[in-house]
Amino acid sequence: MGTTYQLLNEVVVPNIQVNRILVAINQADVAMKGRHWNEQKNCPDEVLLQFLEDKAESVRCRLSEATGVKVVKPVFFSAERGYNVKKLLDMIIDNMPKERRKLAA
């Protein structure tokens, strides 16, 4: 995660409008080395779910502390398994700016 935070701090935050920054955490199915993933229900069990919730909050807080930027709580998902993808898309749609960026002349 160190490289991710460095990228966010040094590239994303200085160059992208704050209201356009959203964070998502992929590979929720392999967190905790794949343990606690319920294959039958295609979702995390309570242990993994709590771990993912804590990780999302930790990322949000760490980004805020490092950059001063307050982002919405990151969504965790699994693109491979289709888990929480709807929640990810909802987050993107819900946080779209109302107006387009003005083009530089």
Side-chain angles (χ1 to χ4, degrees):
M1 293 291 288
T3 304
T4 302
Y5 289 119
Q6 184 178 7
L7 178 67
L8 286 167
N9 293 339
E10 296 176 11
V11 178
V12 174
V13 171
N15 295 299
I16 297 179
Q17 294 170 325
V18 175
N19 65 336
R20 294 179 181 272
I21 298 174
L22 300 175
V23 179
I25 302 169
N26 194 5
Q27 296 185 322
D29 57 321
V30 294
M32 297 182 75
K33 299 185 179 182
R35 293 183 302 239
H36 301 287
W37 185 262
N38 186 324
E39 296 288 339
Q40 288 76 31
K41 294 182 179 179
N42 193 38
C43 66
D45 69 6
E46 289 300 317
V47 174
L48 181 54
L49 185 60
Q50 186 59 53
F51 174 83
L52 293 167
E53 291 284 351
D54 293 345
K55 180 61 72 176
E57 186 60 25
S58 171
V59 167
R60 189 188 66 75
C61 290
R62 189 166 170 185
L63 183 60
S64 177
E65 289 170 3
T67 64
V69 173
K70 304 241 188 292
V71 296
V72 295
K73 184 175 172 188
V75 170
F76 48 87
F77 69 104
S78 171
E80 183 173 331
R81 296 181 183 259
Y83 172 75
N84 251 7
V85 173
K86 182 182 181 317
K87 190 171 181 180
L88 171 64
L89 294 173
D90 287 344
M91 178 183 73
I92 293 169
I93 291 168
D94 292 345
N95 289 283
M96 270 186 181
K98 304 286 186 239
E99 296 179 14
R100 294 184 64 149
R101 287 180 285 197
K102 294 184 178 33
L103 297 175

